[in-house]
């Protein structure tokens, strides 16, 4: 790891100001992606602005229509939250599938979204539920947030403060794990919002994406058999040592079917 | 005394220190005026080094020295030696290209050492290492062993045309060909035994220091055999007198073979410590370990089994290409030959066997012994062939094995080994019971009802352990003896310290060996401590690998104990005013036979060290004995594993539903430790078959260079193992022990692949059988 200056502000404004001071600064949330990159010498920020002491960035609130989760809320808090389990059980399940216990105790929702790893889990829920991302500079609709490989709509210096998830009628998440990393080879989030169905897939493309055909089929009838026969095209899907595009395309169908089954339980 | 200690489940003495963070590993050793090394490594698989510019690095903060291949050559440091000479089919010695400790003019694999930076801190060394500028002329690379001898393949070493290290053979080819000509059925398989990356929890580390006071060196190093490390480093590489070098392998966090070898880093830090007059420490990070530790396996094999119409084995023919990587690591040459082809008889009476092995150089990390070392590869050949043969002959896989089991011992195999003893029916019968093979059909039905596929597979393995009779090893090309040394030091008050040349890096020797000693002497196990891993304390040692510690190291200790007891009897006879021949020793007491006259062990020890009343005319004072033991034969652990899997055909995910293992390790000292060794070995074998596989791309880049892509199995990938043992004591060592450290890794892959292919109804599937691989096999089957 290269040497860097360390800052620990106690509010979001100071954090934004500190981050803006240096062109090569980085916000630090749970450090589960950033610190690894630094240890591997792939990232070498001059300044680290630690969000750990910014108290109002963490916490979970529910008003019956939406669940709002602070950016610094750890995965473990989300998976263990009685409110989340009650309002959006699939979201609690998803958070519990991220990494291992140590990762879940450190990693945060905001960090995961800002990082936008193509195989990360949270983006599937954010897009699958049509959540709204609130930042220091405004709000982003989920449909416009994920731009590409490790690329989001966030501008330099913009800090995610919270994410609001609409509460669905029912929802399910199924993840097919990479054996080694345990990130998603394919993760499918299916949500019946009452006024329509959303299906979001992570792991398969450069970033999380929606599947219109499946949404339509499930909108007509929310049942596993509605998607079981739908073949997904492999064009443009990720292909690597662990899974070819063709295998991923196949897994999307299988995971979608199982996510619907989970949602109906 | 209480219950016998041999066979007791005594908790491991070493665990308190390991579990509470009191272990002392090489990286924990920080010496006064410590400095730190970072290696610059090649990013290319094959390239000429046009120039190395170290000016910037030398000027970086904290930097004390930067050394390249040039300085190493100028210092006349030799290359790393290979410890085993293989003679090829034409009677020529294998090709041994120079293996410099820092690259000289050319790099031949990603991760090869190109320069080293030494600085005040580790981070300064790493920062400065990034400033070393190397100008490479990139060359074409070859990583796949199957392509190494192809026309036009890039050539690695001038002295090894066609990248060939040797072509070696064992067995009677004419007899094998004749038997095949008469066979009623031939089963043939063509497969790869996948390359593995050892990944000990503790990465390699070395801390060298030089003392100007007496012109001596001390090297702390994460090693499995400190004396061998010292011998190779002093005599062959650095030209130092052995008595001026101390090598300490303190607590070592796993080795699996990868820490047997002398590595360039160990030499460089030792050498640099004299250049700088300060100790130099290097600890690998995980990424470095992936590219620079010796890897394991990597065979391509075509194997055939000839049978008569009843499934009786007539002959076996095996042709293997072994990828040894870019250079010959310390024991690389003997693994795919001496430790592989000699095991091809397995548990069977196959009368004739011929094996031909071609070892090739490629632009990959060197390949050497890895848990099992040659024997997993052999077992995979034999047990995949046998199971496939049973399917093709429509015979029960257990029956075809029983039909061919060796039942009369000693048994001379057609591939050089002489099995002293064994009882393969016993382990097969027990494994079938443990696995409830009788209930399998019902379980298969239940799986099918859920839309799942179920399969069952066996592996009946044998291994040669207790390496080795030195004379035999020597006649086969070993450049070292393979005995072991032990010393028993009885202290004046009767407690005991034992010094062993074996090395424990996870095996639990501090407990097992103490049990042996305490049992023989009739003392509480707390009164015995085991010391290992320091050339300044231990008289000599060949170290730990090949499941040899208890069979060879343990026997050396027993021999020393016999001397202690013999001397103790003499002392006791004097003290008890009896004839020496009337003294019996049992339960910690020297007794005059048939009387109640006795002396406790502690009293005799005390008399030896406070010799007021002592037979000075006949006996020296003191009670300290040592012994060397050179075994007369290998030991032959064997067993049967039965694996049952359930496959999800939709995703290709394989779940191991049951795993039953019955091993015959001869006499068992501590069943709990043995079970732990079996569990660990099984986990590694399952890893090879299902999750692990080192992949280089066609440019020689390691694609699986971290835990993100190289999958070591986790606890939840594994079933709850059912393990049991049968005891057929080894006939030629006093403890009757055979060794247990590698069995799991040897037997597991074949059992698992046999189960998976059974479930899928396919002839073969490549390892690792990942979900994608399984899914593809099912797609292909559907398409066919
Ligand atoms: C072993 C391991 C396994 C893992 N497995 C999974 C898995 O299965 N699924 C999965 O989804 N993830 C997995 N992860 C990643 C994990 O979820 C990370 O926590 C997450 O990707 C990043 O969150 P973080 O809080 O650690 O962010 P950090 O690492 O601290 O930061 C990541 C990036 O986000 C930026 N950032 C952080 N917070 C904000 C903010 N509020 N506003 C703007 N930018 C911000 C940082 O500057 C940085 O660029 C794994 C990680 C590890 C180490």
């Amino acid at each position: 790891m290269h040497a860097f200056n360390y800052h620990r502000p106690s509010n979001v404004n100071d954090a934004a100001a500190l981050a803006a001071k240096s062109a090569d600064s980085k916000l630090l949330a749970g450090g589960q992606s950033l610190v690894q990159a630094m240890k591997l010498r792939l990232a070498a920020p001059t300044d680290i602005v630690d969000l750990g002491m910014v108290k109002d960035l963490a916490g979970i609130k529910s008003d019956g229509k939406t669940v709002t989760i602070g950016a610094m809320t750890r995965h473990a808090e989300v998976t263990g939250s009685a409110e989340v389990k009650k309002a959006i059980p699939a979201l609690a399940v998803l958070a519990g599938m991220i990494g291992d216990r140590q990762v879940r105790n450190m990693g945060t929702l905001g960090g995961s979204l800002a990082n936008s790893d193509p195989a990360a889990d949270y983006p599937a829920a954010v897009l699958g539920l049509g959540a709204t991302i609130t930042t220091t500079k405004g709000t982003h609709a989920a449909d416009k947030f994920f731009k590409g490989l490790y690329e989001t709509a966030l501008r330099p210096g913009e800090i995610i403060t919270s994410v609001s998830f609409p509460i669905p009628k029912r929802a399910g998440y199924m993840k097919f794990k990479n054996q080694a990393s345990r990130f998603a080879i394919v993760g499918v989030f299916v949500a019946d919002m009452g006024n329509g169905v959303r299906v979001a897939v992570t792991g398969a493309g450069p970033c999380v994406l929606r599947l219109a055909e499946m949404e339509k089929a499930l909108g007509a009838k929310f049942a596993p058999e509605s998607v079981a026969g739908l073949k997904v095209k492999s064009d443009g899907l990720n292909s690597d040592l662990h899974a070819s595009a063709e295998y991923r395309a196949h897994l999307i169908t299988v995971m979608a079917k199982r996510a619907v089954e989970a949602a109906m339980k | 005394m209480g219950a016998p200690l041999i066979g007791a489940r005594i908790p491991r003495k070493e665990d308190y220190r390991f579990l509470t963070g009191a272990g002392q590993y090489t990286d924990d050793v920080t010496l006064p005026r410590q400095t730190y090394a970072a290696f610059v490594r090649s990013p290319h698989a094959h390239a000429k080094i046009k120039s190395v510019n170290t000016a910037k690095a030398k000027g970086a903060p904290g930097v004390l020295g930067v050394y390249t291949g040039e300085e190493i050559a100028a210092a006349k440091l030799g290359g790393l030696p290979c410890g085993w000479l293989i003679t090829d089919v034409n009677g020529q010695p294998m090709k041994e290209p120079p293996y410099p400790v820092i690259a000289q003019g050319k790099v031949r694999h990603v991760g090869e050492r190109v320069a080293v930076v030494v600085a005040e801190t580790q981070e300064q060394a790493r920062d400065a290492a990034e400033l070393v500028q190397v100008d490479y002329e990139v060359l074409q690379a070859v990583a796949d062993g199957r392509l190494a001898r192809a026309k036009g393949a890039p050539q690695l070493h001038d002295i090894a045309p066609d990248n060939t290290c040797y072509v070696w053979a064992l067995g009677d080819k004419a007899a094998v060909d004749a038997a095949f000509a008469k066979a009623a059925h031939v089963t043939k398989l063509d497969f790869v035994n996948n390359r593995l990356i050892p990944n000990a929890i503790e990465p390699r580390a070395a801390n060298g220091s030089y003392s100007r006071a007496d012109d001596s060196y001390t090297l702390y190093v994460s090693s499995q055999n400190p004396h061998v490390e010292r011998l190779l480093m002093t005599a062959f590489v650095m030209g130092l007198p052995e008595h001026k070098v101390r090598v300490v392998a303190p607590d070592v966090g796993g080795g699996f073979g990868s820490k047997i070898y002398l590595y360039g880093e160990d030499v460089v830090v030792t050498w640099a410590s004299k250049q700088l007059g300060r100790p130099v420490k290097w600890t690998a990070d995980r990424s470095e370990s992936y590219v620079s530790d010796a890897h394991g396996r990597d065979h391509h094999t075509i194997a055939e089994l000839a049978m008569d119409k009843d499934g009786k084995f007539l002959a076996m023919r095996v042709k293997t290409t072994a990828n040894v990587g870019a250079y010959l690591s310390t024991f690389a040459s003997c693994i795919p030959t001496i430790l592989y082809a000699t095991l091809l008889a397995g548990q069977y009476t196959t009368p004739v066997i011929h094996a031909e092995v071609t070892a090739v150089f490629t632009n990959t990390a060197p390949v050497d012994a890895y848990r099992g070392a040659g024997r997993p590869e052999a077992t995979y050949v034999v047990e995949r062939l046998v199971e496939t043969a049973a399917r093709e002959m429509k015979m029960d896989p257990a029956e075809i094995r029983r039909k061919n089991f060796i039942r009369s011992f000693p048994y001379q195999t057609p591939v050089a080994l002489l099995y002293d003893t064994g009882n393969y029916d016993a382990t097969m019968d027990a494994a079938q019971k443990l696995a409830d093979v009788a209930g399998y059909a019902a379980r298969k039905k239940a799986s099918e009802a859920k839309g799942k596929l179920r399969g069952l597979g066996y592996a009946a393995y044998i291994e040669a352990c207790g390496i080795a009779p030195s004379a035999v090893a020597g006649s086969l090309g070993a450049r070292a003896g393979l005995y072991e040394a032990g010393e028993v030091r009885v202290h004046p008050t009767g407690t005991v310290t034992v010094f062993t040349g074996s090395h424990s890096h996870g095996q639990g020797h501090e407990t097992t060996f103490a049990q042996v000693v305490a049992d023989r002497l009739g003392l509480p196990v707390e009164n015995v401590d085991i010391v290992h891993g320091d050339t300044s304390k231990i008289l000599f040692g060949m170290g730990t690998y090949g499941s040899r510690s208890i069979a060879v190291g343990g026997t050396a200790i027993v021999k020393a104990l016999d001397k202690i007891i013999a001397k103790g009897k003499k002392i006791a006879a004097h003290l008890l005013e009896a004839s020496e021949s009337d003294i019996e020793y049992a339960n910690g007491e020297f007794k005059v036979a048939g009387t109640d006259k006795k002396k406790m062990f502690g009293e005799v020890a005390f008399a030896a060290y406070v010799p007021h009343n002592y037979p000075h005319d006949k006996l020296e004072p003191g009670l300290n004995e040592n012994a060397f033991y050179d075994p007369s034969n290998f030991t032959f652990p064997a067993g049967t594993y039965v694996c049952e899997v359930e496959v999800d055909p939709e995703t290709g995910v394989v779940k191991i539903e049951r795993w039953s293992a019955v091993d015959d390790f001869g006499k068992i000292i501590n069943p709990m430790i043995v079970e732990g060794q079996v569990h660990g070995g099984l986990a590694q074998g399952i890893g090879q078959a299902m999750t692990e596989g080192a992949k280089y791309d066609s440019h020689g880049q390691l694609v699986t260079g971290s835990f993100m892509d190289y999958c070591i199995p986790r606890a939840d990938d594994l079933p709850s193992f059912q393990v049991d043992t049968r005891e057929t004591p080894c006939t030629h060592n006093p403890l009757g022990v055979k060794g247990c450290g590698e069995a799991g890794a040897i037997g597991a892959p074949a059992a698992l692949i046999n189960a998976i292919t059974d479930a899928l109804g396919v002839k073969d599937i490549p390892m690792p059988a990942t979900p994608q691989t399984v899914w593809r096999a099912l797609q292909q089957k559907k398409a066919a």
Side-chain angles (χ1 to χ4, degrees):
Chain A
M1 197 182 283
H2 290 269
F4 54 84
N5 301 310
Y6 176 75
H7 311 277
R8 195 165 59 175
S10 57
N11 64 65
V12 138
N13 293 337
D14 289 356
L18 281 164
K21 258 200 201 155
S22 148
D24 275 331
S25 69
K26 272 276 182 200
L27 299 167
L28 176 71
Q32 297 301 293
S33 296
L34 178 59
V35 173
Q36 290 179 50
M38 290 167 70
K39 281 168 77 176
L40 289 168
R41 296 177 164 256
L42 298 172
T46 57
D47 291 79
I48 285 290
V49 180
D50 186 349
L51 299 177
M53 295 300 274
V54 183
K55 285 280 171 291
D56 45 355
L57 284 183
I60 299 168
K61 285 189 301 255
S62 173
D63 63 4
K65 278 205 182 116
T66 56
V67 175
T68 301
I69 302 179
M72 282 299 289
T73 312
R74 317 279 167 176
H75 308 332
E77 289 169 57
V78 175
T79 194
S81 156
E83 276 186 304
V84 177
K85 279 188 205 166
K86 191 164 147 256
I88 320 177
L91 182 58
V93 167
L94 174 146
M97 287 184 187
I98 299 175
D100 50 39
R101 220 170 260 276
Q102 290 90 329
V103 170
R104 290 195 292 276
N105 280 329
M106 290 302 291
T108 67
L109 172 59
S112 177
L113 297 183
N115 200 46
S116 186
D117 188 299
D121 294 292
Y122 265 134
V126 169
L127 189 64
L129 291 164
T132 303
I133 296 134
T134 304
T135 73
T136 45
K137 296 192 174 161
T139 60
H140 298 271
D143 281 310
K144 299 209 164 135
F145 184 75
F146 301 101
K147 295 283 188 196
L149 192 65
Y150 297 106
E151 215 189 306
T152 66
L154 290 174
R155 282 151 294 174
E158 186 170 1
I159 302 177
I160 301 175
T161 52
S162 68
V163 182
S164 299
F165 296 91
I167 298 174
K169 217 173 110 191
R170 51 193 169 176
Y173 181 64
M174 271 297 153
K175 174 181 186 178
F176 191 83
K177 289 177 185 171
N178 173 319
Q179 270 188 307
S181 73
R182 304 253 167 129
F183 273 80
I185 280 185
V186 163
V188 180
F189 198 98
V190 173
D192 179 358
M193 304 305 293
N195 57 356
V197 174
R198 293 173 69 101
V199 179
V201 181
T202 189
C207 66
V208 63
L209 49 97
R210 285 175 68 183
L211 292 176
E213 203 187 344
M214 283 195 182
E215 291 180 351
K216 215 173 109 199
L218 288 169
K221 186 181 178 206
F222 195 82
E225 60 271 22
S226 301
V227 289
L230 288 183
K231 289 227 173 348
V232 176
K233 282 215 186 78
S234 62
D235 308 347
L237 296 188
N238 299 337
S239 189
D240 56 31
L241 179 67
H242 308 279
S244 65
E246 190 197 5
Y247 182 46
R248 276 194 164 86
H250 167 78
L251 286 174
I252 291 173
T253 302
V254 178
M255 292 299 119
K257 184 183 80 177
R258 293 182 185 181
V260 174
E261 279 165 6
M264 292 173 70
K265 275 219 179 107
Chain B
M1 284 305 300
L5 288 167
I6 291 196
R9 293 177 175 267
I10 295 186
R12 302 204 322 165
K13 292 176 101 174
E14 45 272 79
D15 281 348
Y16 173 77
R17 97 170 169 274
F18 292 149
L19 296 175
T20 60
Q24 186 69 9
Y25 298 87
T26 296
D27 190 62
D28 294 322
V29 177
T30 296
L31 300 168
R33 305 180 66 240
Q34 185 71 59
T35 70
Y36 298 85
F39 284 85
V40 177
R41 296 180 185 276
S42 171
H44 304 294
H46 200 191
K48 277 192 185 137
I49 300 173
K50 289 163 72 181
S51 66
V52 184
N53 185 341
T54 59
K56 258 198 188 154
K58 279 183 176 146
V63 171
L64 301 164
V66 183
Y67 309 104
T68 68
E70 236 169 82
E71 282 84 6
I72 295 296
K76 300 209 158 39
L77 289 182
L80 301 174
C82 181
W84 204 296
L85 175 72
I86 293 296
T87 303
D88 78 5
V89 284
N90 299 317
Q92 297 300 307
M94 66 186 190
K95 299 293 191 304
E96 286 183 84
Y99 184 3
V101 296
I102 293 186
Q104 308 278 330
K106 202 176 172 196
V107 288
R108 295 179 177 85
H109 70 91
V110 167
E112 184 168 354
R113 298 167 292 274
V114 176
V116 63
V117 176
V118 185
E120 294 286 351
T121 70
Q122 192 177 56
E123 290 305 325
Q124 285 173 335
R126 289 182 178 186
D127 285 346
E130 288 180 351
L131 302 175
V132 173
Q133 293 163 322
V134 188
D135 189 8
Y136 295 101
E137 180 189 329
V138 178
L139 305 171
Q140 289 254 311
V142 60
D144 187 333
R146 287 168 290 189
L147 306 176
R149 279 155 58 93
K151 254 212 167 76
Q155 299 293 301
L156 270 78
H157 301 281
D158 294 341
I159 73 152
D162 295 328
N163 296 320
T164 304
C165 179
Y166 54 75
V167 178
W168 174 91
L170 179 68
D172 185 340
K173 185 165 188 310
V176 166
D177 289 346
F180 267 86
K182 286 190 306 201
H185 183 78
V186 171
T187 291
K188 183 172 179 178
L189 284 165
D190 177 336
F191 50 66
V192 168
N193 197 291
N194 44 328
R195 179 184 279 242
L196 303 175
I197 302 180
N199 273 304
I201 289 184
E202 182 211 12
R204 285 193 296 121
N207 189 351
S209 67
Y210 171 74
S211 166
R212 168 165 81 72
D214 57 359
D215 191 27
S216 74
Y217 296 81
T218 302
L219 172 66
Y220 292 87
V221 60
S222 186
S223 166
Q224 300 177 214
N225 43 355
H227 282 90
V228 177
E229 170 110 11
R230 180 177 70 170
L231 177 67
L232 295 173
M233 188 169 74
T234 55
F236 295 97
V237 183
M238 298 184 75
L240 295 171
E242 225 171 327
H243 69 293
K244 289 292 190 188
V245 179
R246 173 185 175 205
V247 174
V248 187
D251 285 330
V252 172
F256 312 114
S258 70
K259 293 173 181 169
I260 298 172
Y261 326 117
L262 175 64
Y263 285 93
E265 291 88 353
D266 311 351
V267 174
V268 170
V269 296
T270 306
W271 173 78
S273 72
K274 183 174 181 183
Q275 309 308 303
L276 296 169
R278 292 176 66 177
V280 181
K281 175 153 79 178
W282 166 78
T283 303
D285 61 25
R286 186 60 60 184
S287 309
E288 270 184 300
S289 304
Y290 267 97
V291 294
S292 72
D293 290 0
H295 295 177
R297 321 273 194 261
D298 205 343
H299 286 192
H300 169 234
T301 293
I302 298 170
E304 295 167 281
L305 178 65
M307 282 153 285
D308 71 10
K309 61 175 189 356
D310 304 319
K312 188 95 186 138
F313 305 157
L314 301 176
M316 187 184 284
R317 185 156 55 198
V318 176
K319 219 173 161 170
T320 293
T321 302
N323 183 344
V324 297
Y327 299 96
L328 277 178
S329 171
T330 312
F331 289 110
S333 52
C334 71
I335 308 305
T337 48
I338 310 302
L339 290 181
Y340 167 67
T342 55
L343 272 302
L344 289 170
Q347 302 186 352
Y348 313 109
T349 54
T350 316
V352 284
I353 296 172
H354 183 257
E356 183 189 283
V357 179
T358 303
V360 295
F361 295 108
T362 63
N363 296 108
T364 61
V367 177
D368 207 322
Y370 170 62
R371 200 171 192 167
R375 292 153 294 169
E377 296 91 315
T379 298
Y380 195 72
V381 169
V382 176
E383 291 303 294
R384 285 287 297 121
L385 273 179
V386 167
E387 192 104 350
T388 309
R391 288 175 195 161
E392 288 176 352
M393 305 277 288
K394 309 239 176 322
M395 289 177 69
D396 180 88
E399 280 326 301
I400 201 170
R401 287 179 169 90
R402 284 201 180 92
K403 198 174 203 88
N404 290 282
F405 275 161
I406 297 164
R407 292 199 175 83
S408 131
F409 295 93
Y411 178 82
Q412 176 64 56
T413 73
V415 276
L417 295 176
L418 180 73
Y419 298 171
D420 63 331
T421 179
N423 184 350
Y424 310 136
D425 289 290
T427 44
M428 173 59 85
D429 293 348
Q432 284 198 300
K433 244 191 222 130
L434 197 60
D436 183 26
V437 172
Y440 171 70
R443 294 193 294 275
K444 189 173 171 75
K445 260 214 184 102
S447 291
E448 279 163 3
K450 291 185 292 177
K452 300 279 167 67
L453 308 170
R454 205 174 183 96
L456 184 134
Y458 292 84
Y461 75 92
I462 190 161
E463 49 173 332
C465 297
I467 293 171
S470 292
V472 174
S475 73
L476 295 170
R479 287 165 166 161
L482 284 157
Y483 48 83
E484 197 49 272
E487 178 175 352
V488 177
R489 184 171 302 165
V490 181
H491 302 290
T493 52
T495 59
V496 179
T497 304
V498 175
F499 301 84
T500 174
S502 293
H503 186 277
S504 187
H505 34 277
Q507 294 86 347
H509 294 170
E510 290 171 39
T511 308
T512 309
F513 286 14
Q515 279 177 253
V516 169
V517 174
D519 187 273
R520 287 253 156 173
L521 293 181
L523 301 177
V525 76
E526 298 75 35
N527 286 12
V528 181
D529 265 359
I530 307 295
V531 174
H532 62 89
D534 185 341
T535 60
S536 72
K537 293 182 184 163
I538 312 300
L539 64 160
F540 203 76
M542 292 309 296
T544 286
Y545 38 81
S547 307
R548 68 193 299 273
S549 296
I550 194 70
V552 192
T555 302
I557 293 170
V558 167
K559 284 185 68 185
L561 288 172
D562 290 345
K563 294 183 190 175
I564 293 282
I565 293 171
K567 185 168 179 182
K569 281 185 179 171
K570 290 196 168 88
I571 301 170
H574 175 85
L575 295 176
L576 294 164
E577 297 176 343
S579 153
E580 188 194 329
S581 58
D582 287 341
I583 304 288
E584 289 170 347
Y585 185 71
N587 300 327
E589 296 169 351
F590 293 94
K591 251 190 178 161
V592 182
T595 76
D596 56 4
K597 282 173 67 182
K598 64 183 183 190
K599 286 281 171 194
M600 303 298 288
F601 181 76
E603 294 176 275
V604 168
F606 195 76
Y609 286 96
V610 188
H612 296 163
N613 173 17
Y614 199 79
H616 285 287
D617 51 335
K618 286 180 273 188
L619 221 50
E620 292 169 6
L623 199 50
N624 190 89
E625 298 287 349
N626 65 50
F628 282 71
Y629 173 67
D630 201 317
S632 60
N633 192 359
F634 295 88
T635 64
F636 297 98
T640 296
Y641 297 163
V642 185
C643 164
E644 201 170 313
V645 298
E646 192 178 70
V647 179
D648 176 354
E650 272 191 332
T651 58
V653 169
V654 175
K655 193 161 165 268
I656 301 173
E657 290 285 327
R658 304 170 72 101
W659 194 290
S660 314
V662 181
D663 295 286
D664 182 348
F665 298 134
K667 195 82 196 144
I668 283 174
I669 312 292
N670 184 326
M672 183 196 70
I673 287 180
V674 167
E675 283 164 18
Q677 290 290 309
V678 172
H679 283 209
L682 289 174
Q684 272 172 306
I686 289 169
Q688 163 158 35
M690 244 170 64
T691 68
E692 299 184 45
K695 282 262 162 16
Y696 282 92
D697 68 14
S698 59
H699 305 291
Q701 291 293 332
L702 183 63
V703 184
T704 52
S706 80
F707 289 132
M708 293 294 278
D709 290 302
Y710 186 88
C711 181
I712 304 270
R714 326 274 224 279
D716 62 354
D717 291 319
L718 303 170
S720 188
F721 299 119
Q722 303 281 327
V723 302
D724 198 358
T725 53
R726 289 291 175 271
E727 286 190 11
T728 316
C730 170
T731 59
H732 54 81
N733 65 47
L735 291 168
V737 291
K738 297 180 180 173
C740 70
E742 296 162 296
I746 290 170
L752 185 46
I753 296 297
N754 284 339
I756 295 174
T757 48
D758 181 45
L760 304 186
V762 299
K763 183 172 177 186
D764 194 21
I765 193 163
M767 295 194 288
T770 62
Q772 169 169 256
T773 307
V774 170
W775 179 75
R776 273 196 189 141
L778 282 169
Q779 297 304 107
Q780 276 163 13
K781 196 186 162 201
K782 248 195 247 163

